[in-house]
Amino acid sequence: MGRRSALGALAAFGLVLGLVVAGMTSASAADPLVSRGKTVLASSIEGSGFEAAKAVDGSTSTRWASVEGHDPEWLRVDLGSTHSISRVKLNWEVAYARAYRVQTSPDGSAWSDIFSTTTGDGAVDDLTVSGSGRYVRVYGTARGTPYGYSLWELEIYGVAGGTTPPTTTTTTTTTTTTPPTPGIGYPFGSRKQPYAAGILRPSGSTSTLDAAVVDYYQRWKSAFLRHNCNSAWSQVLAADADHDYVAEAQGYGMVIVATMAGADPDAKRIFDGFVKWKIDHPSVIDPDLMAAEQDDRCVSVNGGDAATDGDMDVAYGLLLADRQWGSAGTYNYKELAIRHINAIKRSEINPTTKLLRPGDWATSSDPRYYVTRSSDWMADHFRAFRKATGDSAWDTIRTAHQNLITRMQQNFAPGTGLLPDFVENTNSTPRPPAGKVLEDELGDGKYWWNACRVPWRIGADAVTSGDPTSLAAARKLNSWVKSKTGGNPGNIRVGYQLNGTQLSSEVSAAYTAPFAVAAATDSGSQAWLDALWNKMLATPIGGDDYFASSIQLQVMITVTGNHWVP
């Protein structure tokens, strides 16, 4: 996406300022400025030069900006001690908030609204407020432009002291959130990143839904988590794969365990075991990537090169870990993540098409150089990579994949929205292969054991970003499968031609569960989503179905509102 000029330029910022001010006290309009140069945090930054501190540096030529195209976003100021707040002044850049709240907090966890609007028009908002707290936050919930949120300056006026009343919750002015477990940024169940408007969840209380996820997670760990060959390693045992350990499984494990932090006190130790495994099993082609397959002796086999699907989740899992625990421990998660992301771009992105290749082995001399695998097209991961690196190339890469999804649905599956396992000929006229291009003569050009993940992967971006392209693709899939099955998840079968013709009479959670994420995008599919949820709850875990069980667990995390984008 192009950058705007200095006058109206660039500012994609989701604003959620953690401003700690709880309660109502009186204050004078002549109170001094208390925010200049204070410690500031932001939910995101657009890139280098747009850091949170730019909003309180006293200069109207520097600014904070959030990532583009995402709600909500916030900016939080730590005043250092409790203050009575009387005035908040926001000097918006072109990228302003149409709807936002100013909030205060005594501890940076529980927030009370002292101002809110849904009719913001940018420019300068000079607000007379009354509140008390150590932290003040600007929390943007709806952007006024397609970009993000951006502030030239945030000024907070008040005096030290004041009272900090108990945190309460009302439907109009006060919001309470669960304090995070110490040292954990996004404890499971906290839902600190709300989904896009209108996204469904299975019926029932959040506590009931979360308990079901935690129960399934514990059973998943018992069935598949291992520390074989070296007690410092963590692995997901992939008994139903070609080898005991595959990159796809390790990537799943890293994402799952980092997401479950807070529900699992052992999560960080387990995650660090995955990190050591990654470091100790580099690809022989690009050592910043991970070798795709290991045998029962934990030795890399089958060439020792990389697989893109595993690498995408490994990088994403490292970003989750950085947000959960920080990067000052045994491993610098953020540094490892950025190295991995850059290696994906260098060795697994086709520089001509901007599409993912199947692995770092698919070089220009390989006939699969212009082949891409549909289940690798993870738009939410691309967004996280863009945010972490500040590299706008990831916007171009994400758009290329979303455009290909639309093109394939329109040209080859107009009635179903189904995608094939692989797409070939991507440099000219993309098409499903007629036979085997990589894995399977029957399935490479069909909705088979790779593409079965597509409703989940597309849907994960749709529910978190509200992106219209992702929403349209997910809803197309949902509409077809709901009609095809008559609303009965038990009728979903293993494999389809792109026109919806059934290929097998078998059933698998790998095919059933992903459609629940697509269902969550459609406001008219509550009963269908509930049926899919109940089907998942009734599906047991077996020791030989790591693939289906790992997919279902991640689907359960997503549809309960617990998926988040670092």
Side-chain angles (χ1 to χ4, degrees), residues 91-446:
N91 186 352
W92 296 101
E93 195 258 349
V94 170
Y96 68 94
R98 177 171 53 82
Y100 70 92
R101 301 195 292 268
V102 177
Q103 301 173 313
T104 63
S105 171
D107 56 7
S109 297
W111 296 96
S112 299
D113 292 356
I114 58 172
F115 175 83
S116 66
T117 183
T118 59
T119 58
D121 57 2
V124 176
D125 291 339
D126 197 345
L127 310 173
T128 299
V129 297
S130 179
S132 177
R134 172 175 171 171
Y135 300 87
V136 180
R137 182 170 75 172
V138 177
Y139 191 97
T141 56
R143 289 164 287 119
T145 73
Y147 303 104
Y149 300 86
S150 184
L151 284 168
W152 292 112
E153 281 293 296
L154 168 66
E155 296 180 353
I156 300 164
Y157 295 81
V159 293
T163 60
T164 303
T167 302
T168 58
T169 301
T170 72
T171 58
T172 56
T173 61
T174 307
T175 302
T176 299
T177 58
T178 303
T181 303
I184 298 177
Y186 288 79
F188 176 79
S190 61
R191 295 175 176 82
K192 293 176 70 172
Q193 284 189 8
Y195 283 0
I199 299 303
L200 302 177
R201 291 181 192 166
S203 297
S205 67
T206 55
S207 60
T208 299
L209 298 177
D210 289 352
V213 177
V214 172
D215 173 70
Y216 197 89
Y217 168 70
Q218 294 296 346
R219 289 186 282 137
W220 174 86
K221 280 178 59 180
S222 178
F224 307 112
L225 184 65
R226 299 290 184 272
H227 302 283
N228 291 337
C229 304
N230 182 336
S231 61
W233 284 337
S234 298
Q235 314 108 341
V236 174
L237 180 63
D240 46 334
D242 292 338
H243 300 280
D244 282 16
Y245 312 109
V246 295
E248 168 192 88
Q250 309 321 310
Y252 286 167
M254 292 175 77
V255 171
I256 289 168
V257 171
T259 304
M260 298 303 297
D264 182 356
D266 211 22
K268 190 176 188 301
R269 183 187 66 81
I270 296 169
F271 188 89
D272 282 354
F274 283 121
V275 176
K276 181 169 175 55
W277 176 273
K278 165 210 150 30
I279 293 171
D280 291 347
H281 295 86
S283 168
V284 298
I285 296 175
D286 190 327
D288 284 332
L289 300 175
M290 186 169 69
E293 298 172 305
Q294 290 78 36
D295 62 15
D296 59 358
R297 298 173 298 129
C298 303
V299 175
S300 294
V301 294
N302 200 23
D305 45 31
T308 299
D309 53 356
D311 285 320
M312 290 284 289
D313 275 335
V314 167
Y316 193 82
L318 287 164
L319 292 176
L320 291 173
D322 173 63
R323 297 291 289 275
Q324 287 287 38
W325 301 296
S327 288
T330 303
Y331 298 107
N332 187 325
Y333 304 128
K334 184 66 173 290
E335 179 183 354
L336 288 169
I338 290 176
R339 286 172 56 185
H340 213 102
I341 292 165
N342 290 338
I344 293 171
K345 180 184 175 185
R346 176 173 66 240
S347 298
E348 293 178 331
I349 294 288
N350 187 299
T352 301
T353 64
K354 308 303 180 186
L355 299 170
L356 288 165
R357 294 178 274 146
D360 60 356
W361 51 266
T363 61
S364 57
S365 61
D366 190 281
R368 279 73 55 96
Y369 187 59
Y370 290 109
V371 169
T372 185
R373 178 171 37 218
S374 61
S375 53
D376 297 354
W377 306 345
M378 309 172 199
D380 58 343
H381 289 39
F382 296 143
R383 294 183 198 276
F385 298 171
R386 167 65 160 94
K387 179 178 176 181
T389 64
D391 185 352
S392 62
W394 289 107
D395 292 332
T396 303
I397 291 165
R398 172 176 54 81
T399 300
H401 287 86
Q402 290 182 300
N403 289 343
L404 184 57
I405 291 170
T406 300
R407 185 173 182 179
M408 295 300 295
Q409 287 187 327
Q410 290 176 345
N411 293 346
F412 299 98
T416 66
L418 296 172
L419 299 182
D421 272 16
F422 295 92
V423 176
E424 64 178 1
N425 209 32
T426 58
N427 59 325
S428 55
T429 308
R431 65 193 179 203
K436 179 179 178 179
V437 293
L438 186 60
E439 294 183 4
D440 191 285
E441 185 71 31
L442 169 65
D444 278 6
K446 309 294 193 305

